[in-house]
Amino acid sequence: MDFSFLQDSWELLLKGFWVTLRVFFASGLIALVLGTFVAVARVSPVPAMRVVGTAYVTLFRNTPLLLLLFITYYGLPAMGIDFGFFWNVSLAAGLYTAAFVCEALRSGINGVPLGQAEAARAVGMPFTMTMTQVILPQAFRLVVPPMASVFIALAKNTSLVAALGLADLAFRLQGLLRDYPSSRTAAFLTIAAMYIIIVAAISLVASWAERRWKVESR
Amino acid sequence: MRERRTRLAAVLAAGLLPLSACGDAGNSYDEGSGPDVEVEEQDFEAGTRMAELQEAGSVKIGVKYDQPGVGFKTATDDAPSGFDPEIGKILAAKLGIKAEDIEWVEAVSANREPFLQNGTVDFVIASYSITDDRRKVVGQAGPYYVTGQSLLVAKDDDSINGPDDLKGKKVCSVTGSTSIKTVEEEFGATPAGFDTYSECVRQLENGSVDAVTTDAAILLGYAAENPDELKVVGEPFSEERYGIGYSKDSPELCQFINDSLTSAFEDGTWAEAFDATLGKGGADAGDPPTLDECA
């Protein structure tokens, strides 16, 4: 197998890697913050909040990501809202992934024994405080493995943005296929390896977090 | 979208005018604004791919569908139009195959080699630059046209007059198409990737990117389609030699393609094909290029 194209292209590949990383972090941050809010809304005592939360998850979890990308990419600018290519697509990936973050986190919230919330309320904590001080810290450490899966899926989903104005890893792959048709297999393997690097890093962080926040057995 | 379609219809209608004026509708398609190519029967040696194709009476040719002037087809067109399909018709005629017996297949940049390797098409004539690396996996005869990478910008944009002005500018290039490498590495442009040229041009028209880069031939086609808003600037800064792709399994096709091109160069059908397609954008055919020797 011929990897000689790397000599000419490593710089461009690194640039593509960087773009992929940036989209991942931007959309990941949106997903984490928004997903947490939606999860809290779904378990809140206010019925209207629960409805909104459920509607959000139903809408965004059941819509293909590509469709969402088109909506933020074509739809928002058509309505006069344009954040530029990068944020338009990061927003779509973030909104989509937030629904999955919410559901993963909700299973964690439900896994925290009910007595915890009751005890918090008994000492007079309001709902938000109960959540932020008692429930969420325990919920997050319960859901590290499913959360890692959600973010791994996000990392790979970012490859859809290659057609929407960003020169990410998938875009670079297309360029390699064009310029080096004799090394196609090598080109595919190279790009795959770069995605694996991102995913492996997520897994590492996840297993570190799991060890760090391990729930002591009682 | 609607506006675009109307414009397209206008361009197509304009393309039909000279055809009806010349009075020789004959057996050509309605989209065919190129020269009427005489179909000829040749004696090919038995067992060659040429003899097989002539016997079959049809040929599959891969062309681009999204490059006005080069290879272009909308969903409502019967057959693609442009310089590449015209070259395909010339080639088919030399095999004794009429234009309506050609099976057109849409080729995108990334699938051209697999198409030839798997026999999905017999020829690829799709703004297919000849490169050493491609010649490792497929055959490429020609060139039948030489162009170069250039820049398409908005008509009222005076800040970009050539590749040297690209530093920090957002430049659109199509995924898997003419390398954006040069403008990125040598001129410091920021790449923006899209699936199709039409999307690139749309982004240029609404100001989201500053320039579109690819072969001058393709850009001229877009500039001709919308001369009030777009213009091609600067001298071409690379050399792209368009070749005709064929499968390495049939090396005898190379000499056949070269002979066909030579005769089209000499009897003027090549120049006619050019004037009827790319020439409409104001480009000059110039002298026919020198063909590479077949190995």
Side-chain angles (χ1 to χ4, degrees):
Chain A
M1 210 174 298
D2 183 7
F3 282 93
S4 55
F5 64 84
L6 285 175
Q7 249 172 347
D8 275 342
S9 308
W10 65 270
E11 220 172 321
L12 295 181
L13 287 179
L14 282 186
K15 279 192 194 174
F17 187 71
W18 177 231
V19 171
T20 293
L21 270 186
R22 278 172 50 215
V23 176
F24 170 72
F25 278 117
S27 49
L29 194 67
I30 295 174
L32 194 60
V33 174
L34 186 63
T36 307
F37 275 110
V38 179
V40 171
R42 286 204 70 174
V43 296
S44 107
V46 185
M49 296 279 280
R50 288 202 299 270
V51 170
V52 171
T54 311
Y56 181 92
V57 171
T58 309
L59 188 64
F60 284 89
R61 194 171 57 167
N62 299 336
T63 315
L65 176 55
L66 193 58
L67 200 71
L68 287 178
L69 282 166
F70 283 151
I71 291 172
T72 58
Y73 179 81
Y74 291 111
L76 290 185
M79 295 188 313
I81 310 166
D82 195 346
F83 306 111
F85 298 144
F86 180 80
W87 285 106
N88 282 352
V89 298
S90 299
L91 187 63
L95 292 177
Y96 176 78
T97 310
F100 292 88
V101 168
C102 160
E103 289 304 275
L105 189 55
R106 201 163 61 91
S107 68
I109 292 173
N110 291 339
V112 176
L114 195 57
Q116 299 274 331
E118 286 170 349
R121 296 313 298 271
V123 295
M125 284 186 180
F127 175 72
T128 25
M129 200 177 176
T130 311
M131 272 295 151
T132 54
Q133 303 298 315
V134 180
I135 307 294
L136 283 181
Q138 300 185 74
F140 268 111
R141 64 182 193 184
L142 280 174
V143 297
V144 169
M147 209 63 107
S149 298
V150 167
F151 283 101
I152 285 170
L154 171 64
K156 293 182 291 179
N157 283 341
T158 59
S159 62
L160 286 173
V161 306
L164 299 173
L166 294 182
D168 74 333
L169 270 180
F171 175 84
R172 299 301 179 187
L173 174 64
Q174 298 277 341
L176 288 182
L177 294 182
R178 175 197 170 274
D179 289 337
Y180 305 96
S182 66
S183 325
R184 288 187 165 226
T185 316
F188 278 122
L189 289 178
T190 307
I191 299 293
M194 296 179 96
Y195 277 106
I196 289 173
I197 290 174
I198 301 179
V199 171
I202 300 172
S203 310
L204 274 180
V205 170
S207 61
W208 171 82
E210 216 172 327
R211 264 181 287 121
R212 175 82 176 65
W213 296 330
K214 208 167 113 193
V215 185
E216 300 299 334
S217 48
R218 279 151 288 186
Chain B
M1 203 61 200
R2 165 144 310 174
E3 190 195 347
R4 211 185 127 65
R5 195 165 292 162
T6 331
R7 210 161 57 217
L8 202 64
V11 171
L12 286 176
L16 290 176
L17 283 178
L19 180 76
S20 44
C22 86
D24 180 26
N27 59 351
S28 59
Y29 298 84
D30 55 350
E31 102 292 346
S33 47
D36 275 335
V37 199
E38 199 103 345
V39 173
E40 43 185 302
E41 293 283 334
Q42 294 188 58
D43 282 330
F44 293 111
E45 212 175 301
T48 59
R49 187 72 190 132
M50 290 82 83
E52 283 172 31
L53 289 169
Q54 190 168 38
E55 177 69 24
S58 78
V59 61
K60 286 173 287 187
I61 302 181
V63 295
K64 292 280 177 75
Y65 280 8
D66 67 338
Q67 298 173 351
V70 178
F72 190 78
K73 181 181 177 299
T74 62
T76 51
D77 292 339
D78 290 333
S81 60
F83 189 49
D84 285 347
E86 291 305 327
I87 295 291
K89 287 179 202 168
I90 291 174
L91 213 56
K94 300 284 179 195
L95 290 164
I97 297 167
K98 290 197 293 267
E100 55 263 40
D101 292 329
I102 300 173
E103 192 183 317
W104 300 106
V105 181
E106 180 176 13
V108 299
S109 295
N111 70 16
R112 291 175 297 195
E113 291 86 12
F115 269 15
L116 289 170
Q117 287 168 325
N118 305 338
T120 312
V121 298
D122 301 302
F123 298 105
V124 163
I125 313 177
S127 52
Y128 197 19
S129 304
I130 298 174
T131 68
D132 290 342
D133 202 82
R134 287 177 180 161
R135 276 190 165 157
K136 285 186 196 160
V137 285
V138 296
Q140 287 186 307
Y144 60 92
Y145 184 58
V146 177
T147 179
Q149 200 175 348
S150 197
L151 297 169
L152 183 73
V153 299
K155 187 101 185 183
D156 53 10
D157 184 354
D158 295 323
S159 66
I160 301 175
N161 294 304
D164 294 325
D165 302 326
L166 288 178
K167 197 159 176 50
K169 300 275 187 183
K170 259 203 194 119
V171 178
C172 190
S173 171
V174 171
T175 47
S177 159
T178 297
S179 188
I180 196 166
K181 229 164 150 177
T182 329
V183 290
E184 213 180 332
E185 289 184 337
E186 288 178 32
F187 304 111
T190 310
F194 292 96
D195 263 354
T196 61
Y197 289 100
S198 30
E199 184 60 26
C200 263
V201 172
R202 210 183 79 96
Q203 295 298 330
L204 177 63
E205 283 170 347
N206 70 23
S208 299
V209 301
D210 301 306
V212 177
T213 186
T214 185
D215 305 345
I218 300 165
L219 297 179
L220 285 169
Y222 277 106
E225 208 181 59
N226 194 358
D228 295 333
E229 284 180 45
L230 305 172
K231 63 178 179 187
V232 177
V233 293
E235 290 296 309
F237 45 94
S238 73
E239 191 186 66
E240 305 293 333
R241 304 157 68 242
Y242 285 1
I244 298 178
Y246 58 92
S247 165
K248 277 206 154 176
D249 297 337
S250 317
E252 68 273 16
L253 285 172
C254 181
Q255 197 54 51
F256 161 74
I257 294 170
N258 272 6
D259 292 345
S260 304
L261 287 176
T262 307
S263 95
F265 290 165
E266 282 165 4
D267 67 15
T269 42
W270 177 81
E272 273 178 61
F274 187 90
D275 291 340
T277 53
L278 283 173
K280 284 194 291 198
D284 187 29
D287 290 329
T290 313
L291 298 173
D292 291 355
E293 294 283 333
C294 290

